[in-house]
Amino acid sequence: MARLWWRWPASLVALAAAVFAGTCIGETPIPLSIVVQTLANKVLGAAYPLDPIDMGIVWNYRLPRALVAASCGAGLALSGLVLQSLLRNALADPYLLGISAGASTGAVTVTIAGLGGGAVSMSLGAFAGAVTAFLLVALLARAAGGGVSARGAGQIILAGIAGSQLFNALTSFIITKSANAEQARGIMFWLLGNLSGVRWPDVTLAVPVAAAGLIACVWYARALDAFAFGAESAASLGIPVRRVQIVLIGLTALVTAVMVSIVGSIGFVGLVIPHAARFVVGVRHGRLVPATALTGAAFLIAADVLSRTMIPGQVLPIGVITALVGAPAFALILLRGRRRA
């Protein structure tokens, strides 16, 4: 283990490089030297004479957007990893299990329907929706015979799909009933994943939550390894199964809710990224957790760059980009599982 000390510094360097690349690339061409000088002015207190517009684009638009994209990518990927490990299901992720849909419903209920009279924040509403959605899916799966068997795992996924459809319908109903045309257009674009409105206050929320999720997953890496053999085997190894499940699923709901409240519902990140990381570093969570976080961060930064540059003069919802990658990957996972069966 001591020989692997370099992995954490290397991961931080790779993450910084990904954020820097996301800051350099955008709709408006800005020379690399301007980006570097802007960062030097803001971070190091340098005094390079720069155009205020270019500085504003780099510091107030691109850098916060890249940092939030990295946080959301890491948080959603870790959430998918935790769910796949606890449920022993390769297809589990916050999107398919209805957690993202529930968070969207909670956020829309607070912002559009005005639940709480302004005393409840969007993030708190999203968290309540995420927890409600997961509890509903868990109860439905249990009632349908969900468990640790292959059939039970399939029941969990089916219950998640049903929950997603229910909460998506509730979200559409709230928007149709309570929002005007302009609000409805903005919310529908946001629901597909949108980082256009991200600013520094969003960074101060997304980064600590993603960091807390990463620290918790590293702390429980041994427990996640034990869950690979089932809850009974984990208990026989001395893992407090119920407590770990409550903490990690609650953490998953919290991370997903915060990210959804900032950027909307982005699908397939939690499904695809853990599998990609396993392919590279193996199944041991001591290595898999940081690899998943780093890969998720880099993936969503790249997806955000593509969403801004793929069509000149137009910004695509980032969820469109992740779906274009995630849907074929989802099909490959299904085919791979069938060949193993």
Side-chain angles (χ1 to χ4, degrees):
M1 182 65 69
R3 292 180 297 176
L4 302 180
W5 64 269
W6 54 268
R7 286 183 173 172
W8 283 101
S11 298
L12 292 176
V13 171
L15 178 59
V19 171
F20 182 71
T23 306
C24 293
I25 304 171
E27 309 94 305
T28 304
I30 296 179
L32 178 62
S33 60
I34 299 298
V35 175
V36 174
Q37 289 173 357
T38 298
L39 296 178
N41 284 354
K42 295 293 186 178
V43 177
L44 302 178
Y48 292 105
L50 300 175
D51 184 346
I53 295 178
D54 289 342
M55 287 186 62
I57 291 174
V58 172
W59 183 257
N60 294 320
Y61 177 68
R62 290 188 184 175
L63 182 57
R65 187 164 179 154
L67 289 171
V68 170
S71 300
C72 289
L76 293 175
L78 289 174
S79 296
L81 174 64
V82 168
L83 291 174
Q84 290 168 13
S85 299
L86 292 182
L87 300 177
R88 300 177 66 199
N89 191 319
L91 301 180
D93 89 317
Y95 192 80
L96 286 180
L97 292 183
I99 297 176
S100 293
S104 297
T105 301
V108 168
T109 301
V110 170
T111 56
I112 299 298
L115 182 66
V120 179
S121 67
M122 180 187 286
S123 296
L124 183 58
F127 177 69
V131 172
T132 301
F134 185 81
L135 290 176
L136 179 63
V137 168
L139 290 173
L140 179 59
R142 180 178 290 275
V148 297
S149 65
R151 179 181 179 277
Q155 296 293 338
I156 293 173
I157 295 299
L158 291 175
I161 293 173
S164 294
Q165 294 300 316
L166 171 63
F167 283 95
N168 285 335
L170 287 173
T171 300
S172 299
F173 175 78
I174 293 169
I175 293 172
T176 303
K177 183 177 183 298
S178 303
N180 56 41
E182 183 177 352
Q183 286 178 319
R185 185 164 51 250
I187 286 293
M188 295 308 294
F189 191 83
W190 171 78
L191 287 174
L192 292 173
N194 179 26
L195 280 82
S196 296
V198 166
R199 296 296 182 266
W200 281 108
D202 300 303
V203 176
T204 61
L205 176 61
V207 171
V209 170
L214 174 60
I215 292 171
C217 288
V218 171
W219 181 264
Y220 284 105
R222 178 176 172 271
L224 290 171
D225 283 337
F227 273 99
F229 303 99
E232 294 82 1
S233 298
S236 67
L237 293 172
I239 303 298
V241 171
R242 185 62 59 189
R243 187 181 71 190
V244 171
Q245 288 175 330
I246 292 173
V247 170
L248 290 179
I249 289 176
L251 180 69
T252 296
L254 174 62
V255 171
T256 302
V258 169
M259 301 312 171
V260 168
S261 70
I262 296 173
V263 302
S265 182
I266 300 176
F268 293 105
V269 176
L271 173 63
V272 175
I273 300 304
H275 289 287
R278 286 190 191 95
F279 182 77
V280 175
V281 302
V283 298
R284 294 293 298 273
H285 285 80
R287 292 175 293 179
L288 183 57
V289 166
T292 298
L294 176 61
T295 307
F299 172 72
L300 209 60
I301 290 174
D304 181 47
V305 170
L306 283 175
S307 73
R308 288 181 279 154
T309 59
M310 181 175 290
I311 301 177
Q314 184 174 350
V315 179
L316 291 173
I318 193 172
V320 172
I321 306 299
T322 59
L324 288 174
V325 176
F330 183 86
L332 289 175
I333 293 170
L334 287 176
L335 293 175
R336 184 182 178 187
R338 180 181 179 183
R339 286 196 292 267
R340 284 183 174 181

